[in-house]
Amino acid sequence: MAEKVEARVARRKGDVFLRADFADLGSYDRIGLVLGQLVRKGSLLRVGQGVYTRAAPSIIDGKPVPVKGIGSLMSEALDRLGIKTRPTRLERAYNSGQTTQVPTGRLIGVNRRVRRKLGYNGMTVSFERV
């Protein structure tokens, strides 16, 4: 079954995967074991409960890191979870020229309350309801 999960990850165009994407391949626990093996192998990275992303070795220390930046990665993850993202108050101020402070991407504007904790390697994102 691990080969089927890896093949499905390779075929998929996006970089974010939900545990539910593999539900037809086996039981909940078995899918969890296979995804855990892929995380230990370094081909996937867990960014939240039931949320995974593609990973590649870091050029600095060789540890797995996501293939995208944290802002775009978390926006894609929220989109997959059915939560719409919008520009935050700070992003709107920067885009309109009111400030020169560049947003870090660790604050994401959402349309409703988000109770999930999303992040990796100790970096988590915060949510602003806009």
Side-chain angles (χ1 to χ4, degrees):
M1 177 168 46
E3 298 83 23
K4 289 182 181 180
V5 171
E6 285 184 278
R8 191 170 288 185
V9 166
R11 281 192 317 261
R12 186 153 179 101
K13 291 183 181 179
D15 291 318
V16 174
F17 309 97
L18 302 178
R19 186 182 215 149
D21 294 341
F22 309 103
D24 61 324
L25 298 178
S27 69
Y28 181 86
D29 292 334
R30 184 68 181 138
I31 296 297
L33 288 173
V34 171
L35 290 172
Q37 290 171 354
L38 292 176
V39 168
R40 284 188 294 282
K41 187 174 145 183
S43 59
L44 288 182
L45 190 65
R46 185 174 185 255
V47 294
Q49 183 176 353
V51 182
Y52 298 85
T53 186
R54 292 182 203 277
S58 170
I59 58 172
I60 297 171
D61 59 3
K63 293 182 181 177
V65 293
V67 294
K68 285 185 176 178
I70 191 168
S72 61
L73 179 70
M74 295 306 157
S75 293
E76 183 180 344
L78 289 169
D79 187 46
R80 291 289 322 272
L81 293 168
I83 300 169
K84 303 286 186 226
T85 59
R86 299 178 179 153
T88 62
R89 180 179 47 86
L90 296 173
E91 289 170 337
R92 287 192 309 268
Y94 177 74
N95 291 337
S96 67
Q98 295 174 346
T99 182
T100 58
Q101 184 72 39
V102 179
T104 63
R106 292 183 59 181
L107 181 66
I108 298 176
V110 293
N111 65 341
R112 62 184 170 103
R113 182 177 177 193
V114 178
R115 298 179 75 180
R116 286 184 178 256
K117 183 178 178 183
L118 295 173
Y120 61 92
N121 292 341
M123 285 191 306
T124 59
V125 292
S126 301
F127 304 104
E128 175 184 64
R129 193 165 178 185
V130 291

